[in-house]
PDB file of all heavy atoms in Angstrom:
ATOM      1  N   GLY A1071       0.621  15.089  12.604  1.00  0.00           N
ATOM      2  CA  GLY A1071      -0.317  16.003  13.241  1.00  0.00           C
ATOM      3  C   GLY A1071      -1.614  15.334  13.622  1.00  0.00           C
ATOM      4  O   GLY A1071      -1.681  14.126  13.808  1.00  0.00           O
ATOM      5  N   LEU A1072      -2.652  16.141  13.724  1.00  0.00           N
ATOM      6  CA  LEU A1072      -3.957  15.648  14.154  1.00  0.00           C
ATOM      7  C   LEU A1072      -4.875  15.312  12.993  1.00  0.00           C
ATOM      8  O   LEU A1072      -5.928  14.740  13.171  1.00  0.00           O
ATOM      9  CB  LEU A1072      -4.634  16.699  15.043  1.00  0.00           C
ATOM     10  CG  LEU A1072      -3.842  17.096  16.291  1.00  0.00           C
ATOM     11  CD1 LEU A1072      -4.559  18.230  17.030  1.00  0.00           C
ATOM     12  CD2 LEU A1072      -3.632  15.906  17.201  1.00  0.00           C
ATOM     13  N   TYR A1073      -4.488  15.707  11.790  1.00  0.00           N
ATOM     14  CA  TYR A1073      -5.323  15.464  10.606  1.00  0.00           C
ATOM     15  C   TYR A1073      -4.403  15.399   9.397  1.00  0.00           C
ATOM     16  O   TYR A1073      -3.236  15.739   9.487  1.00  0.00           O
ATOM     17  CB  TYR A1073      -6.355  16.583  10.430  1.00  0.00           C
ATOM     18  CG  TYR A1073      -5.718  17.916  10.177  1.00  0.00           C
ATOM     19  CD1 TYR A1073      -5.499  18.366   8.880  1.00  0.00           C
ATOM     20  CD2 TYR A1073      -5.284  18.708  11.228  1.00  0.00           C
ATOM     21  CE1 TYR A1073      -4.879  19.584   8.654  1.00  0.00           C
ATOM     22  CE2 TYR A1073      -4.661  19.921  11.001  1.00  0.00           C
ATOM     23  CZ  TYR A1073      -4.472  20.350   9.713  1.00  0.00           C
ATOM     24  OH  TYR A1073      -3.859  21.527   9.474  1.00  0.00           O
ATOM     25  N   GLY A1074      -4.946  14.986   8.271  1.00  0.00           N
ATOM     26  CA  GLY A1074      -4.127  14.881   7.071  1.00  0.00           C
ATOM     27  C   GLY A1074      -4.705  15.655   5.901  1.00  0.00           C
ATOM     28  O   GLY A1074      -5.909  15.783   5.771  1.00  0.00           O
ATOM     29  N   HIS A1075      -3.814  16.187   5.078  1.00  0.00           N
ATOM     30  CA  HIS A1075      -4.200  16.859   3.840  1.00  0.00           C
ATOM     31  C   HIS A1075      -3.371  16.276   2.710  1.00  0.00           C
ATOM     32  O   HIS A1075      -2.211  15.951   2.905  1.00  0.00           O
ATOM     33  CB  HIS A1075      -3.918  18.364   3.904  1.00  0.00           C
ATOM     34  CG  HIS A1075      -4.862  19.104   4.777  1.00  0.00           C
ATOM     35  ND1 HIS A1075      -6.144  19.410   4.395  1.00  0.00           N
ATOM     36  CD2 HIS A1075      -4.718  19.601   6.026  1.00  0.00           C
ATOM     37  CE1 HIS A1075      -6.743  20.075   5.364  1.00  0.00           C
ATOM     38  NE2 HIS A1075      -5.900  20.197   6.363  1.00  0.00           N
ATOM     39  N   LYS A1076      -3.951  16.166   1.551  1.00  0.00           N
ATOM     40  CA  LYS A1076      -3.198  15.666   0.407  1.00  0.00           C
ATOM     41  C   LYS A1076      -2.362  16.756  -0.232  1.00  0.00           C
ATOM     42  O   LYS A1076      -1.323  16.497  -0.785  1.00  0.00           O
ATOM     43  CB  LYS A1076      -4.148  15.060  -0.630  1.00  0.00           C
ATOM     44  CG  LYS A1076      -4.804  13.787  -0.148  1.00  0.00           C
ATOM     45  CD  LYS A1076      -5.682  13.191  -1.218  1.00  0.00           C
ATOM     46  CE  LYS A1076      -6.316  11.918  -0.709  1.00  0.00           C
ATOM     47  NZ  LYS A1076      -7.194  11.313  -1.672  1.00  0.00           N
ATOM     48  N   ASN A1077      -2.831  17.990  -0.171  1.00  0.00           N
ATOM     49  CA  ASN A1077      -2.131  19.103  -0.804  1.00  0.00           C
ATOM     50  C   ASN A1077      -1.708  20.125   0.228  1.00  0.00           C
ATOM     51  O   ASN A1077      -2.414  20.370   1.198  1.00  0.00           O
ATOM     52  CB  ASN A1077      -3.035  19.785  -1.839  1.00  0.00           C
ATOM     53  CG  ASN A1077      -3.441  18.843  -2.930  1.00  0.00           C
ATOM     54  OD1 ASN A1077      -2.615  18.151  -3.492  1.00  0.00           O
ATOM     55  ND2 ASN A1077      -4.730  18.782  -3.204  1.00  0.00           N
ATOM     56  N   PHE A1078      -0.565  20.738  -0.022  1.00  0.00           N
ATOM     57  CA  PHE A1078      -0.073  21.763   0.883  1.00  0.00           C
ATOM     58  C   PHE A1078      -0.992  22.978   0.787  1.00  0.00           C
ATOM     59  O   PHE A1078      -1.227  23.501  -0.291  1.00  0.00           O
ATOM     60  CB  PHE A1078       1.360  22.144   0.499  1.00  0.00           C
ATOM     61  CG  PHE A1078       2.086  22.857   1.593  1.00  0.00           C
ATOM     62  CD1 PHE A1078       2.693  22.131   2.593  1.00  0.00           C
ATOM     63  CD2 PHE A1078       2.142  24.230   1.625  1.00  0.00           C
ATOM     64  CE1 PHE A1078       3.363  22.777   3.619  1.00  0.00           C
ATOM     65  CE2 PHE A1078       2.806  24.886   2.640  1.00  0.00           C
ATOM     66  CZ  PHE A1078       3.424  24.154   3.644  1.00  0.00           C
ATOM     67  N   PRO A1079      -1.545  23.459   1.911  1.00  0.00           N
ATOM     68  CA  PRO A1079      -2.460  24.592   1.859  1.00  0.00           C
ATOM     69  C   PRO A1079      -1.755  25.889   1.460  1.00  0.00           C
ATOM     70  O   PRO A1079      -0.567  26.056   1.704  1.00  0.00           O
ATOM     71  CB  PRO A1079      -3.001  24.695   3.287  1.00  0.00           C
ATOM     72  CG  PRO A1079      -2.133  23.853   4.121  1.00  0.00           C
ATOM     73  CD  PRO A1079      -1.372  22.928   3.243  1.00  0.00           C
ATOM     74  N   GLU A1080      -2.492  26.789   0.864  1.00  0.00           N
ATOM     75  CA  GLU A1080      -1.945  28.066   0.408  1.00  0.00           C
ATOM     76  C   GLU A1080      -1.763  29.039   1.572  1.00  0.00           C
ATOM     77  O   GLU A1080      -0.940  29.924   1.523  1.00  0.00           O
ATOM     78  CB  GLU A1080      -2.863  28.692  -0.639  1.00  0.00           C
ATOM     79  CG  GLU A1080      -2.962  27.878  -1.911  1.00  0.00           C
ATOM     80  CD  GLU A1080      -1.657  27.844  -2.673  1.00  0.00           C
ATOM     81  OE1 GLU A1080      -0.972  28.871  -2.730  1.00  0.00           O
ATOM     82  OE2 GLU A1080      -1.327  26.782  -3.220  1.00  0.00           O
ATOM     83  N   GLU A1081      -2.569  28.921   2.611  1.00  0.00           N
ATOM     84  CA  GLU A1081      -2.485  29.841   3.742  1.00  0.00           C
ATOM     85  C   GLU A1081      -3.095  29.180   4.972  1.00  0.00           C
ATOM     86  O   GLU A1081      -3.688  28.127   4.894  1.00  0.00           O
ATOM     87  CB  GLU A1081      -3.220  31.143   3.433  1.00  0.00           C
ATOM     88  CG  GLU A1081      -4.690  30.922   3.093  1.00  0.00           C
ATOM     89  CD  GLU A1081      -5.377  32.211   2.697  1.00  0.00           C
ATOM     90  OE1 GLU A1081      -5.775  32.959   3.610  1.00  0.00           O
ATOM     91  OE2 GLU A1081      -5.503  32.448   1.491  1.00  0.00           O
ATOM     92  N   GLY A1082      -2.910  29.827   6.102  1.00  0.00           N
ATOM     93  CA  GLY A1082      -3.541  29.332   7.316  1.00  0.00           C
ATOM     94  C   GLY A1082      -2.888  28.100   7.921  1.00  0.00           C
ATOM     95  O   GLY A1082      -3.575  27.249   8.459  1.00  0.00           O
ATOM     96  N   VAL A1083      -1.568  27.992   7.869  1.00  0.00           N
ATOM     97  CA  VAL A1083      -0.882  26.830   8.425  1.00  0.00           C
ATOM     98  C   VAL A1083      -0.199  27.212   9.733  1.00  0.00           C
ATOM     99  O   VAL A1083       0.512  28.208   9.796  1.00  0.00           O
ATOM    100  CB  VAL A1083       0.186  26.292   7.446  1.00  0.00           C
ATOM    101  CG1 VAL A1083       0.955  25.143   8.066  1.00  0.00           C
ATOM    102  CG2 VAL A1083      -0.462  25.860   6.151  1.00  0.00           C
ATOM    103  N   MET A1084      -0.445  26.434  10.789  1.00  0.00           N
ATOM    104  CA  MET A1084       0.277  26.601  12.036  1.00  0.00           C
ATOM    105  C   MET A1084       1.011  25.285  12.297  1.00  0.00           C
ATOM    106  O   MET A1084       0.402  24.224  12.265  1.00  0.00           O
ATOM    107  CB  MET A1084      -0.667  26.883  13.208  1.00  0.00           C
ATOM    108  CG  MET A1084       0.062  27.002  14.534  1.00  0.00           C
ATOM    109  SD  MET A1084      -1.023  27.115  15.969  1.00  0.00           S
ATOM    110  CE  MET A1084      -1.786  28.684  15.706  1.00  0.00           C
ATOM    111  N   VAL A1085       2.311  25.361  12.516  1.00  0.00           N
ATOM    112  CA  VAL A1085       3.112  24.163  12.767  1.00  0.00           C
ATOM    113  C   VAL A1085       3.469  24.107  14.239  1.00  0.00           C
ATOM    114  O   VAL A1085       4.068  25.040  14.780  1.00  0.00           O
ATOM    115  CB  VAL A1085       4.395  24.162  11.910  1.00  0.00           C
ATOM    116  CG1 VAL A1085       5.229  22.933  12.206  1.00  0.00           C
ATOM    117  CG2 VAL A1085       4.053  24.227  10.437  1.00  0.00           C
ATOM    118  N   LEU A1086       3.064  23.040  14.901  1.00  0.00           N
ATOM    119  CA  LEU A1086       3.426  22.796  16.294  1.00  0.00           C
ATOM    120  C   LEU A1086       4.317  21.572  16.337  1.00  0.00           C
ATOM    121  O   LEU A1086       4.119  20.626  15.587  1.00  0.00           O
ATOM    122  CB  LEU A1086       2.178  22.542  17.142  1.00  0.00           C
ATOM    123  CG  LEU A1086       1.134  23.650  17.167  1.00  0.00           C
ATOM    124  CD1 LEU A1086      -0.096  23.186  17.928  1.00  0.00           C
ATOM    125  CD2 LEU A1086       1.707  24.909  17.771  1.00  0.00           C
ATOM    126  N   GLY A1087       5.314  21.583  17.188  1.00  0.00           N
ATOM    127  CA  GLY A1087       6.217  20.454  17.265  1.00  0.00           C
ATOM    128  C   GLY A1087       6.655  20.178  18.681  1.00  0.00           C
ATOM    129  O   GLY A1087       6.374  20.936  19.594  1.00  0.00           O
ATOM    130  N   GLN A1088       7.344  19.075  18.849  1.00  0.00           N
ATOM    131  CA  GLN A1088       7.892  18.724  20.149  1.00  0.00           C
ATOM    132  C   GLN A1088       9.136  17.885  19.966  1.00  0.00           C
ATOM    133  O   GLN A1088       9.491  17.506  18.863  1.00  0.00           O
ATOM    134  CB  GLN A1088       6.846  18.013  20.990  1.00  0.00           C
ATOM    135  CG  GLN A1088       6.514  16.625  20.492  1.00  0.00           C
ATOM    136  CD  GLN A1088       6.007  15.748  21.608  1.00  0.00           C
ATOM    137  OE1 GLN A1088       6.196  16.043  22.768  1.00  0.00           O
ATOM    138  NE2 GLN A1088       5.380  14.665  21.259  1.00  0.00           N
ATOM    139  N   ASP A1089       9.803  17.563  21.075  1.00  0.00           N
ATOM    140  CA  ASP A1089      11.090  16.875  20.997  1.00  0.00           C
ATOM    141  C   ASP A1089      11.008  15.359  21.154  1.00  0.00           C
ATOM    142  O   ASP A1089      11.999  14.671  21.009  1.00  0.00           O
ATOM    143  CB  ASP A1089      12.072  17.461  22.011  1.00  0.00           C
ATOM    144  CG  ASP A1089      11.656  17.194  23.450  1.00  0.00           C
ATOM    145  OD1 ASP A1089      10.647  16.509  23.690  1.00  0.00           O
ATOM    146  OD2 ASP A1089      12.361  17.696  24.334  1.00  0.00           O
ATOM    147  N   PHE A1090       9.872  14.793  21.499  1.00  0.00           N
ATOM    148  CA  PHE A1090       9.651  13.342  21.599  1.00  0.00           C
ATOM    149  C   PHE A1090      10.477  12.653  22.675  1.00  0.00           C
ATOM    150  O   PHE A1090      10.643  11.439  22.645  1.00  0.00           O
ATOM    151  CB  PHE A1090       9.847  12.647  20.242  1.00  0.00           C
ATOM    152  CG  PHE A1090       8.712  12.933  19.319  1.00  0.00           C
ATOM    153  CD1 PHE A1090       8.771  14.011  18.459  1.00  0.00           C
ATOM    154  CD2 PHE A1090       7.571  12.164  19.331  1.00  0.00           C
ATOM    155  CE1 PHE A1090       7.716  14.312  17.622  1.00  0.00           C
ATOM    156  CE2 PHE A1090       6.509  12.451  18.507  1.00  0.00           C
ATOM    157  CZ  PHE A1090       6.581  13.532  17.648  1.00  0.00           C
ATOM    158  N   ASP A1091      11.044  13.404  23.621  1.00  0.00           N
ATOM    159  CA  ASP A1091      11.671  12.846  24.822  1.00  0.00           C
ATOM    160  C   ASP A1091      12.987  12.134  24.531  1.00  0.00           C
ATOM    161  O   ASP A1091      14.042  12.665  24.792  1.00  0.00           O
ATOM    162  CB  ASP A1091      10.677  11.924  25.532  1.00  0.00           C
ATOM    163  CG  ASP A1091      11.142  11.508  26.918  1.00  0.00           C
ATOM    164  OD1 ASP A1091      11.902  12.261  27.547  1.00  0.00           O
ATOM    165  OD2 ASP A1091      10.738  10.429  27.367  1.00  0.00           O
ATOM    166  N   ASN A1092      12.951  10.910  24.005  1.00  0.00           N
ATOM    167  CA  ASN A1092      14.177  10.180  23.680  1.00  0.00           C
ATOM    168  C   ASN A1092      13.875   9.139  22.601  1.00  0.00           C
ATOM    169  O   ASN A1092      12.720   8.937  22.229  1.00  0.00           O
ATOM    170  CB  ASN A1092      14.797   9.530  24.933  1.00  0.00           C
ATOM    171  CG  ASN A1092      13.858   8.556  25.610  1.00  0.00           C
ATOM    172  OD1 ASN A1092      13.243   7.721  24.963  1.00  0.00           O
ATOM    173  ND2 ASN A1092      13.728   8.659  26.930  1.00  0.00           N
TER     174      ASN A1092
END
Side-chain angles (χ1 to χ4, degrees):
L1072 302 175
Y1073 63 93
H1075 287 284
K1076 292 183 180 179
N1077 299 312
F1078 198 83
E1080 295 293 321
E1081 58 184 278
V1083 176
M1084 178 188 293
V1085 179
L1086 301 174
Q1088 70 154 342
D1089 67 3
F1090 287 91
D1091 191 27
N1092 59 47

